[in-house]
Amino acid sequence: MPDAPRPIFITTPIYYVNDKPHIGHAYTTIVADYLTRALRLLGHEVFFLTGTDEHGAKVAEVARANGMEPKAWCDLHAQHFKDAWKRLDIEYNYFVRTTDQRHEAGVARLLERLHDATDPDGKPVIYEDEYTGLYCLGCEKFITGKELVDGLCPNHLTKPQELRERNYFFRLSAFLPEVQRRISEGSIRVLPEERRNEVLGLFKQGLEDFSISREREKVDWGIPIPWDPTQNAYVWVDALPNYITAIGYGDDPASFARWWTDASIIHIMAKDILKFHAVYWPAMLLAVGERPPQGMFIHGYFTVNGQKMSKSLRNTLDPHRLVDQFGADGTRYLLLTPFPFGMDGDLKADAFVPQYNADLANDLGNLVSRVIALIEKHFGGRQPCPVGIDWENGIAYRLQMPVHSCTHDFAMALRSRIWSFEDDGPDLDRAIRTGMELVRETNRFVEEHQPWNLAKMGRRDELATVLSVAAEAIRRVAIVLSPAIPNKSLEILRALGFENPSTELSIGGLSPVLDGNARGLCPGPFHLDGPIFPRLEKPESTRTERITVSESSTPENVITIDEFKKAQLRTAEVIAAERVEGANRLLKLQIAIGEERRQIVAGIAEHYKPEDLIGKTIIVVANLQPATVRGVASQGMLLAASKGKTLRLLTADGPLESGATIS
């Protein structure tokens, strides 16, 4: 690690505005926020960037299907992300939107520089050519035949469009050797090691030049190519530069130099967008003579209660509902601790309440309440002032060693791994664990010395020593755990008598602790109004609510009009139908939604024969997350009404072409 800390630039991906924030978005953003706060404790200046990705054909299609103009749709959903991050106490420095005028100007500047650049052999970096191939609208990316699974996009289970366009291309092939060299040698660190190997494997498979534009008549919602207004920037070429437009590329050279040229750059993301960030993005930067990012920390996918998150399974966790139940700090802690950063893992939603109660309400909350209550009772809420305390021996020493060990372990779990390529990235799990180990060690210390009995026996100096040491340990805990539980850490420090507790958590706030300042308590007053983490007596469901139709007169699970507008209801014509082998209730339908062909699976075989359905115009939910039912891909859901043993498909009350929007 360098002697003088360099500024650090931390980013999340910019999130697509086709939906509201879900727990996957929240996890990535909480990790970035945690790392930002932790590195500031260690003395670094950090710039934290997040935002939304708002251009592309898919955004325009979803917006118009919901009766809105694309910009209005983007404004609405960008605010959804801002609201979610506020509730989770995410403190970003800048929220970038790709529809911002500043961003669009920066992208135009980058495109112009790419257009003027040449590769190492003197060839133009940008050239015009015809693209003939496949495009997945859901992914907003060009896709090759070898990436398909049974002819479908593996992410969306939809058949990609066949495109034939005249576009502008980026000469990726000219920069692949240099990008590969930098990843192999470690000047571009892709962590953990498994993800680095995955990227290096892409070079062996062969990577082709990629299109940087789409014909504007086909994709009208985007940034125009500066030298050809008939073309718009391909969405990824528009999105990736957000990392530099937000910090001054094109309009603030000093800011850009500080946070890009002279900083340590860390992109945090999930593994599904690794190729674009680890290959395309460095190549584009090298082409215009800019420095590629140094670090990419990649986290895995996670399931919920053993199942892949899916709207069709109704198991996507809503960040707002988690905050409603556990508070911002409780939610952050529960999402940061189930498994090490970088690994695939399973969120046991049913275990959230027991873990919250055990770790936060019982271990930490009870410790703080007990120690402060004893100080209020026996010392009038003022700092205990023991006489002749021996910090090298005696009862104080029992806790001092764990205190020092905790704070140093916390620093090493984060600091060493930021710059060490051999490691697997920031050890967030270990960093939080060190704080909780000190909590439990302090609880054991209090139980061993039983200050309540020392008070009864009149052994005031020993009582003061025990409570003083325990309070100092709690101060350290509050500092070490503050990146995970920032609001509760401030609350704990206020309870310990700090009038301005935020100064303890400012840049370099951990330095006095690391330098050996073991006795940093204030004179008081010590006071706590209520439990830091109130115990949750009755576990509540953390799964999303199912939208149901009730036969009662009182509606259940009321939704807003904006929530209802998210569902895209379309008419569809059944063009083929057959039974699903081995399933008595399931039919596999081939449907036409306008010109689009899809396959859906429906549990209606007990009510309809396959031949009776052909030619019917039904109503389907067209934007439902694809699912696999009994091994058969299903790309939507038909609507039906049932009561008792009767089931009837919902249809229009007159002739209507397939693909019509239900509103």
Side-chain angles (χ1 to χ4, degrees):
M1 174 181 174
D3 293 332
R6 301 176 67 179
I8 298 177
F9 181 38
I10 292 178
T11 75
T12 71
I14 50 175
Y15 302 115
Y16 217 46
V17 291
N18 60 337
D19 204 350
K20 291 182 179 179
H22 57 62
I23 206 65
H25 303 130
Y27 177 76
T28 307
T29 313
I30 290 170
V31 165
D33 185 77
Y34 177 96
L35 195 54
T36 296
R37 293 174 186 269
L39 290 172
R40 285 174 180 160
L41 279 180
L42 295 170
H44 294 277
E45 291 187 83
V46 185
F47 192 104
F48 171 22
L49 174 68
T50 189
T52 45
D53 183 1
E54 304 181 10
H55 283 135
K58 186 177 179 181
V59 171
E61 180 185 87
V62 171
R64 288 161 183 159
N66 283 274
M68 299 177 69
E69 288 301 310
K71 185 58 166 65
W73 175 269
C74 294
D75 291 344
L76 174 67
H77 282 75
Q79 191 60 48
H80 288 326
F81 280 91
K82 290 182 178 181
D83 292 344
W85 301 161
K86 184 177 181 180
R87 292 207 70 197
L88 285 164
D89 200 28
I90 304 295
E91 290 190 350
Y92 49 79
N93 292 90
Y94 194 96
F95 189 98
V96 64
R97 297 179 57 187
T98 57
T99 55
D100 290 340
Q101 184 177 358
R102 183 190 194 194
H103 173 77
E104 292 186 352
V107 170
R109 172 61 178 150
L110 179 63
L111 287 169
E112 288 171 346
R113 289 186 64 189
L114 287 168
H115 186 246
D116 295 339
T118 56
D119 70 9
D121 293 329
K123 297 178 182 177
V125 166
I126 302 299
Y127 62 92
E128 190 175 8
D129 202 354
E130 186 175 84
Y131 176 82
T132 302
L134 304 175
Y135 188 84
C136 175
L137 183 62
C139 294
E140 287 277 18
K141 72 175 184 179
F142 298 99
I143 191 168
T144 64
K146 62 186 178 183
E147 295 177 86
L148 302 180
V149 177
D150 296 328
L152 304 178
C153 166
N155 294 325
H156 294 89
L157 298 179
T158 56
K159 186 176 180 179
Q161 301 173 356
E162 292 188 8
L163 292 182
R164 186 182 184 89
E165 292 184 17
R166 191 145 194 93
N167 300 143
Y168 291 98
F169 284 74
F170 173 72
R171 203 177 298 276
L172 177 67
S173 53
F175 300 94
L176 288 176
E178 179 63 13
V179 175
Q180 183 177 12
R181 182 187 69 80
R182 293 187 181 221
I183 294 174
S184 298
E185 295 180 358
S187 59
I188 298 177
R189 294 183 295 278
V190 180
L191 303 173
E193 183 74 8
E194 180 183 357
R195 301 280 83 82
R196 173 179 174 269
N197 293 336
E198 179 181 326
V199 175
L200 292 175
L202 294 174
F203 293 97
K204 298 176 182 177
Q205 296 174 15
L207 294 165
E208 300 175 348
D209 296 350
F210 63 87
S211 173
I212 67 161
S213 69
R214 297 290 309 278
E215 293 178 356
R216 194 168 187 180
E217 65 179 24
K218 295 180 180 177
V219 182
D220 63 347
W221 181 238
I223 299 176
I225 296 294
W227 61 89
D228 186 348
T230 68
Q231 299 264 323
N232 275 344
Y234 171 42
V235 65
W236 276 99
V237 177
D238 168 357
L240 288 167
N242 89 87
Y243 301 125
I244 56 177
T245 63
I247 52 173
Y249 181 82
D251 65 8
D252 190 341
S255 175
F256 179 69
R258 175 167 181 74
W259 295 111
W260 191 268
T261 309
D262 300 331
S264 294
I265 303 160
I266 302 172
H267 292 325
I268 299 174
M269 72 199 78
K271 61 186 180 182
D272 58 329
I273 53 177
L274 181 53
K275 179 174 73 172
F276 294 96
H277 285 79
V279 181
Y280 289 13
W281 180 225
M284 291 167 61
L285 290 165
L286 288 170
V288 295
E290 299 293 355
R291 178 169 169 250
Q294 293 80 58
M296 299 185 189
F297 294 161
I298 318 301
H299 67 76
Y301 294 143
F302 49 77
T303 53
V304 176
N305 293 330
Q307 293 181 311
K308 182 179 178 181
M309 286 194 301
S310 166
K311 290 181 183 178
S312 61
L313 294 176
R314 300 180 177 91
N315 69 342
T316 55
L317 296 175
D318 181 354
H320 289 286
R321 291 198 64 217
L322 290 175
V323 173
D324 289 342
Q325 185 173 3
F326 302 106
D329 291 56
T331 300
R332 291 166 64 103
Y333 180 86
L334 292 169
L335 293 180
L336 285 168
T337 53
F339 39 80
F341 178 82
M343 295 178 59
D344 292 342
D346 185 44
L347 288 176
K348 300 291 186 185
D350 295 339
F352 280 175
V353 169
Q355 184 187 358
Y356 170 95
N357 282 336
D359 293 357
L360 300 178
N362 294 350
D363 288 347
L364 177 56
N366 285 347
L367 172 66
V368 175
S369 297
R370 183 161 56 171
V371 170
I372 290 178
L374 287 167
I375 292 174
E376 284 194 281
K377 180 177 180 179
H378 299 291
F379 295 92
R382 297 291 171 178
Q383 178 184 349
C385 298
V387 178
I389 184 171
D390 183 354
W391 292 97
E392 300 301 326
N393 297 289
I395 61 175
Y397 185 75
R398 168 76 171 78
L399 192 57
Q400 278 306 104
M401 289 304 292
V403 164
H404 285 299
S405 175
C406 163
T407 47
H408 281 277
D409 282 355
F410 168 80
M412 295 307 294
L414 293 162
R415 186 164 61 186
S416 67
R417 285 173 174 259
I418 300 303
W419 289 274
S420 173
F421 178 61
E422 288 73 25
D423 285 317
D424 287 338
D427 197 347
L428 307 186
D429 181 62
R430 176 186 164 204
I432 297 172
R433 192 167 62 246
T434 60
M436 292 308 298
E437 287 171 353
L438 181 55
V439 168
R440 296 179 182 106
E441 188 69 26
T442 307
N443 272 316
R444 286 190 288 269
F445 174 82
V446 172
E447 288 293 335
E448 178 182 339
H449 294 288
Q450 299 185 359
W452 47 90
N453 285 335
L454 294 176
K456 290 179 182 179
M457 293 183 285
R459 294 159 63 176
R460 191 169 180 80
D461 285 350
E462 290 181 61
L463 175 64
T465 299
V466 170
L467 294 179
S468 180
V469 171
E472 169 59 20
I474 291 171
R475 182 180 78 93
R476 302 281 188 99
V477 165
I479 294 173
V480 169
L481 290 181
S482 64
I485 53 170
N487 281 315
K488 295 300 184 180
S489 291
L490 290 174
E491 190 175 335
I492 291 169
L493 290 170
R494 278 192 291 268
L496 293 173
F498 290 89
E499 292 184 4
N500 297 302
S502 59
T503 60
E504 295 289 298
L505 308 180
S506 60
I507 292 178
L510 199 64
S511 297
V513 176
L514 293 172
D515 292 340
N517 178 14
R519 293 166 291 284
L521 291 173
C522 289
F526 286 56
H527 178 69
L528 188 63
D529 290 324
I532 295 291
F533 288 99
R535 182 176 174 80
L536 299 177
E537 298 298 339
K538 294 182 179 180
E540 301 175 20
S541 172
T542 56
R543 299 184 66 178
T544 53
E545 298 170 340
R546 295 175 181 267
I547 300 175
T548 60
V549 178
S550 171
E551 293 185 17
S552 68
S553 59
T554 303
E556 296 180 354
N557 300 328
V558 175
I559 62 174
T560 67
I561 187 65
D562 288 333
E563 290 172 321
F564 175 76
K565 285 180 178 179
K566 289 168 56 179
Q568 295 179 25
L569 305 182
R570 300 284 190 85
T571 58
E573 181 183 358
V574 180
I575 55 180
E578 61 181 312
R579 292 184 177 274
V580 174
E581 185 176 351
N584 295 330
R585 298 180 59 249
L586 300 180
L587 294 182
K588 179 171 65 175
L589 310 182
Q590 306 300 324
I591 61 173
I593 306 176
E595 296 182 358
E596 182 184 3
R597 298 294 186 268
R598 290 197 191 182
Q599 173 177 288
I600 63 174
V601 177
I604 59 173
E606 296 176 340
H607 305 276
Y608 290 90
K609 296 178 181 179
E611 57 268 26
D612 294 337
L613 294 171
I614 297 173
K616 278 187 177 293
T617 298
I618 60 175
I619 296 173
V620 299
V621 182
N623 63 333
L624 193 68
Q625 177 75 32
T628 300
V629 182
R630 290 290 187 95
V632 180
S634 181
Q635 301 158 282
M637 180 179 71
L638 60 76
L639 298 186
S642 65
K643 186 171 183 179
K645 295 184 178 180
T646 302
L647 181 143
R648 292 290 182 266
L649 297 178
L650 299 190
T651 60
D653 66 351
L656 194 61
E657 291 184 356
S658 70
T661 299
I662 308 299
S663 60

